[in-house]
Structures are given as structure tokens and as C-alpha cells.
């Protein structure tokens, strides 16, 4: 089932001779359960694309449809609610709340939405990510890899339609990078989660199901990875 789709997606900055076309007519379709890497150099448009897919910024033109909803047609408040419920984010900088425990950070999106925690699902996520002994710790007491595991757990807890990961291993050493990417892939398979990961690392991208290359705001190549 198609979970995400863009049609003629554009994001322009400036006008006239100084205009920058960060995205210039991107058509993209993601199926449920796919783990897709979007690869590009700095300035290629890959991070802008992620911001558009997540409704973090508005497009100049075109549409983004997530779980059947054209997100740019939603009002600001409705978009915030939709994003909280249907889109999970994993950022390079983790974005954990430093004064909250690991447990509190994971369930925060549910609490903000006034929803109760599915305790069995919470337990499954925590076990899969190896966080059982860290639930009472503060983020500052964890390694970078452990903090990113918490961020992944937080992204999963709402059972979103899609998870968007923006350079999720950018602050990690090579060993921890492989570990975190393996956990992302494992959680995607175990919880049948759709994941789109932005990266500049071609080797990491090859561990995904599908690799999309973006250059100058356009898709240059889109292929499945053969295992």
C-alpha cells in the first residue's frame, strides 16, 4: 500500500537571477514497510525534501500526501496534530529533552496528544532497542548511540505512518553507526514500519531496501537494492 507520495514538489528560495530551486518538481512514491535512503551531496535538496515530507515547511508548489492526507491542505493546528500522530522524526542531534528520563522522553509524543501508552508495545520497543536498563537515566547519562536509540523509540511509540530520519548517524562513530542503522532496519522489519532516511553516505544507503539519489533538487536515480 502506498503510504507517501509527492507530485511535482517544488521549493524555491528568492526570485529572478538569485532564485535557488532547492526542489524542482519531485515525483516520489513510497510503499508501506519500505526502508528507503535518499542520498545526495550537501546542497542537493535532500534535507529540504525531508522537511517537505514531514510538513516542517511549506512547498512552493506541488503536493505531499501521507497516509491519504494532502498535508499542505491542513491548517497549522491540524498539521501539527497530524505530524505528531502520523510522522515520527529521528534527527542527527537526537532532540531529547535533557530534564526528562529515557522513559519520559519516549512517551512524550503520546502525552502531548493526550493518549495512553500501549504498555505491551512500549515494552517490545524498549527490549528491541536494548534500553530496558536505561529507562530511569537522563539523556546526559547516555552515550550518543544510546541517545539515538531513545530517539528511535520515541519515533516508533505513536505507531506513525512513516518515520523520517535526517542523517541519524551523523554524530556517531563508525561502529555505533552500523549498530544504530542495524537497529533502524530491525525495528522497521519487526514493526512493519516505513522509514525514509536522508544520508550522504552511499555505503549506509546500500543497507536499505531502496536508494534514491537527488541532485540539484531533482531525482537523478531511483533503484531497489539487491540483497
Amino acid at each position: 500500500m502506498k503510504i507517501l507520495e509527492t507530485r511535482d514538489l517544488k521549493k524555491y528560495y528568492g526570485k529572478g537571477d538569485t532564485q535557488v530551486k532547492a526542489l524542482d518538481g519531485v515525483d516520489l512514491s513510497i510503499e508501506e514497510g519500505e526502508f528507503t535512503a535518499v542520498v545526495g551531496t550537501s546542497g542537493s535538496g535532500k534535507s529540504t525534501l525531508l522537511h517537505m515530507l514531514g510538513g516542517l515547511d511549506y512547498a512552493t508548489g506541488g503536493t505531499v500526501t501521507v497516509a491519504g492526507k494532502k498535508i499542505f491542505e491542513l491548517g497549522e493546528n491540524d498539521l501539527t496534530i497530524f505530524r505528531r500522530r502520523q510522522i515520527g522524526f529521528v534527527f542527527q542531534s537526537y532532540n531529547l529533552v535533557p530534564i526528562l528520563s529515557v522513559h519520559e522522553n519516549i512517551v512524550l509524543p503520546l502525552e502531548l496528544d493526550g493518549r495512553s501508552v500501549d504498555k505491551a508495545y512500549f515494552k517490545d520497543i524498549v527490549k528491541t532497542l536494548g534500553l530496558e536498563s536505561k529507562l530511569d537515566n537522563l539523556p546526559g547519562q547516555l552515550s550518543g548511540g544510546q541517545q539515538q536509540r531513545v530517539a528511535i523509540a520515541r519515533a516508533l511509540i505513536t505507531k506513525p505512518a512513516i518515520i523520517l530520519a535526517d542523517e541519524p548517524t551523523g554524530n556517531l562513530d563508525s561502529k555505533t553507526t552500523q549498530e544504530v542503522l542495524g537497529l533502524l532496519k530491525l525495528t522497521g522489519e519487526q514493526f512493519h514500519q516505513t522509514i525514509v532516511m536522508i544520508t550522504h553516505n552511499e555505503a549506509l544507503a546500500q543497507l536499505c531496501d531502496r536508494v534514491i539519489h537527488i541532485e540539484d533538487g531533482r531525482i537523478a536515480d531511483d533503484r531497489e537494492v539487491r540483497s
Side-chain angles (χ1 to χ4, degrees), residues 146-194:
Q146 289 168 338
Q147 289 187 64
Q148 197 58 292
R149 292 187 195 195
V150 178
I152 294 169
R154 182 185 57 192
L156 286 165
I157 197 66
T158 60
K159 303 178 184 177
I162 190 164
I163 287 179
L164 302 176
D166 189 4
E167 297 279 6
T169 61
N171 285 335
L172 306 175
D173 60 42
S174 57
K175 181 177 181 295
T176 311
T177 288
Q178 293 292 330
E179 176 186 288
V180 167
L181 191 70
L183 286 168
L184 258 180
K185 192 173 179 69
L186 174 64
T187 53
E189 293 169 354
Q190 183 164 327
F191 302 112
H192 199 57
Q193 183 65 64
T194 309

Side-chain angles (χ1 to χ4, degrees), residues 30-225:
I30 304 287
E31 295 292 315
E32 185 178 8
E34 275 190 331
F35 188 3
T36 302
V38 178
V39 183
T41 58
S42 178
S44 63
K46 63 184 187 301
S47 291
T48 302
L49 176 61
L50 181 128
H51 288 166
M52 297 295 111
L53 298 183
L56 297 173
D57 196 2
Y58 286 93
T60 303
T63 61
V64 173
T65 305
V66 179
K69 284 273 188 184
K70 290 186 177 180
I71 64 173
F72 297 138
E73 294 181 0
L74 297 172
E76 190 171 336
N77 188 55
D78 288 340
L79 177 57
T80 298
I81 293 170
F82 181 84
R83 198 165 49 223
R84 191 163 61 222
R85 293 177 179 176
Q86 297 293 345
I87 304 173
F89 293 96
V90 180
F91 296 104
Q92 179 176 338
S93 56
Y94 322 132
N95 285 13
L96 303 177
V97 182
I99 61 172
L100 298 182
S101 69
V102 166
H103 182 285
E104 290 166 333
N105 266 284
I106 294 172
V107 303
L108 183 61
L110 292 174
E111 294 193 341
L112 290 173
D113 205 32
R115 288 193 282 166
S116 58
V117 178
D118 181 335
K119 292 182 180 179
Y121 183 61
F122 174 87
K123 188 176 179 180
D124 280 348
I125 292 172
V126 167
K127 183 177 180 181
T128 299
L129 291 167
L131 293 169
E132 299 105 314
S133 66
K134 303 296 182 182
L135 293 178
D136 294 327
N137 288 67
L138 295 174
Q141 297 171 315
L142 305 178
S143 68
Q146 289 168 338
Q147 289 187 64
Q148 197 58 292
R149 292 187 195 195
V150 178
I152 294 169
R154 182 185 57 192
L156 286 165
I157 197 66
T158 60
K159 303 178 184 177
I162 190 164
I163 287 179
L164 302 176
D166 189 4
E167 297 279 6
T169 61
N171 285 335
L172 306 175
D173 60 42
S174 57
K175 181 177 181 295
T176 311
T177 288
Q178 293 292 330
E179 176 186 288
V180 167
L181 191 70
L183 286 168
L184 258 180
K185 192 173 179 69
L186 174 64
T187 53
E189 293 169 354
Q190 183 164 327
F191 302 112
H192 199 57
Q193 183 65 64
T194 309
I195 303 171
V196 177
M197 179 180 72
I198 302 296
T199 183
H200 66 276
N201 189 320
E202 183 69 43
L204 285 185
Q206 295 303 316
L207 299 175
C208 299
D209 303 322
R210 177 181 173 192
V211 180
I212 296 170
H213 284 88
I214 188 166
E215 295 175 6
D216 300 322
R218 296 183 177 184
I219 291 178
D221 186 45
D222 182 353
R223 56 189 166 80
E224 293 184 0
V225 177

